[in-house]
Structure formats: structure tokens, C-alpha cells
Amino acid sequence: MDTVVIFESMWGNTAAIAHAIARGFGAGAAALTTDQATPSRLERARLVVAGSPVHALGLPTEVSRASAAAKNQPGSIPADTTHPAMREWLAAVPTGPRLYAAFETRIVGPLGHGAATAISRALTGAGYEQPGPPTYFTVAMRQRTQEPAAMLLPGQEQHAFEWGIRLRLLLNNLV
């Protein structure tokens, strides 16, 4: 497996983006939750793509995850906090050398950024190299339907698919 796309997702938005990135990358890529992305699954990866939603200007914390789970409203899908947080996964990530790319799902505005920066710091600290800047995908403030990924704004999955293609081309050019 050349590429793994690791994600933390509570309402399916970041998961949908991760799967679109893997589809864009094509053969040799897999989208994995944080508990599926074990050290043995990363052994053969030349590129690690990691993404998370933004919570309070950064990666979700146990407090923000608990708050999200507690806010389950009638008519909305519940937050999925069954997988470890990206923060936990990054704390135990195997060291490099590897290439990486980081992304985040966020709302528009000054409070909607910070997760990809934290991912980048952690992976750089683990000896990974980032060949390009992080990217982001935009979500709405509220769920439009009761379906997973209902907060993604139109065109975001296509944007993720195209980013996956660009990552594949970048990786091929570095070989």
C-alpha cells in the first residue's frame, strides 16, 4: 500500500473527504480510521495523508469530543466518538522517514482553522516530510439532513478527489 489516508470523523464529513482523497489517488490508497491505521498498516506507506475536523482552533480534544457527543439533538445524527482522536493517533505515530500531507474540515471564518497545522507539526516531529502545503475542506455550521457528511458544502468531495489525484502525481514525480 503506497498511501494511507487516516482520519478522525464524528459526523462523516472528514470520513467522506478521506475516502474521496483515496479514490482520487487510485490503486494503492486506502482510507483508514485512526484505530485501523496501526503501525503495521503504515510500514509500506510512502505517503501518509492525515485529516481531522477543527475544534476550537485545533485538533479535537477529549473535552470537545465529549461536548460534541452530548449535543445530540433530535433529528440529527449522533457524533461518532468510537475511534481514537487524531491527537492520540499522532502521539503514537511510527517515526519516518515518510512523506505526508495534512488536511482539515472546517467552517469558513477566523475560527475555522488549526487542525492541519497541528497534524503537520506532529508528523514533521516524527520525521515525516511534507512536500506541499496542507489543504482544507469546508463544512456548514449545521447538519442539513440526517445523513453522514451532511455538513459538507457542495463541491468539497470533488475537491478532495482532485487533491488525491494531485497527491498521486506529486508522489510519482518524487520517485
Side-chain angles (χ1 to χ4, degrees), residues 48-132:
V48 172
V49 181
S52 171
V54 173
H55 281 201
L57 297 174
L59 289 171
T61 64
E62 287 310 312
V63 171
S64 72
R65 287 165 51 95
S67 175
K71 289 182 183 174
N72 290 336
Q73 302 290 326
S76 67
I77 60 171
D80 178 3
T81 57
T82 60
H83 305 289
M86 178 60 68
R87 182 181 298 272
E88 291 176 37
W89 183 82
L90 289 167
V93 71
T95 58
R98 283 188 185 78
L99 296 173
Y100 80 88
F103 72 94
E104 63 189 26
T105 52
R106 67 188 197 187
I107 59 170
V108 175
L111 301 179
H113 57 84
T117 301
I119 291 168
S120 294
R121 271 195 306 269
L123 292 177
T124 297
Y128 294 39
E129 182 181 340
Q130 185 177 23

Side-chain angles (χ1 to χ4, degrees), residues 111-173:
L111 301 179
H113 57 84
T117 301
I119 291 168
S120 294
R121 271 195 306 269
L123 292 177
T124 297
Y128 294 39
E129 182 181 340
Q130 185 177 23
T135 195
Y136 67 91
F137 302 92
T138 311
V139 298
M141 287 288 292
R142 292 190 171 38
Q143 294 177 8
R144 295 184 310 270
T145 68
Q146 292 183 14
E147 300 297 318
M151 295 167 68
L152 283 174
L153 293 182
Q156 295 305 290
E157 287 181 84
Q158 181 63 32
H159 173 47
F161 179 82
E162 292 167 1
W163 192 55
I165 292 170
R166 288 192 302 277
L167 289 172
R168 182 187 68 231
L169 294 173
L170 177 69
L171 186 62
N172 289 342
N173 288 335

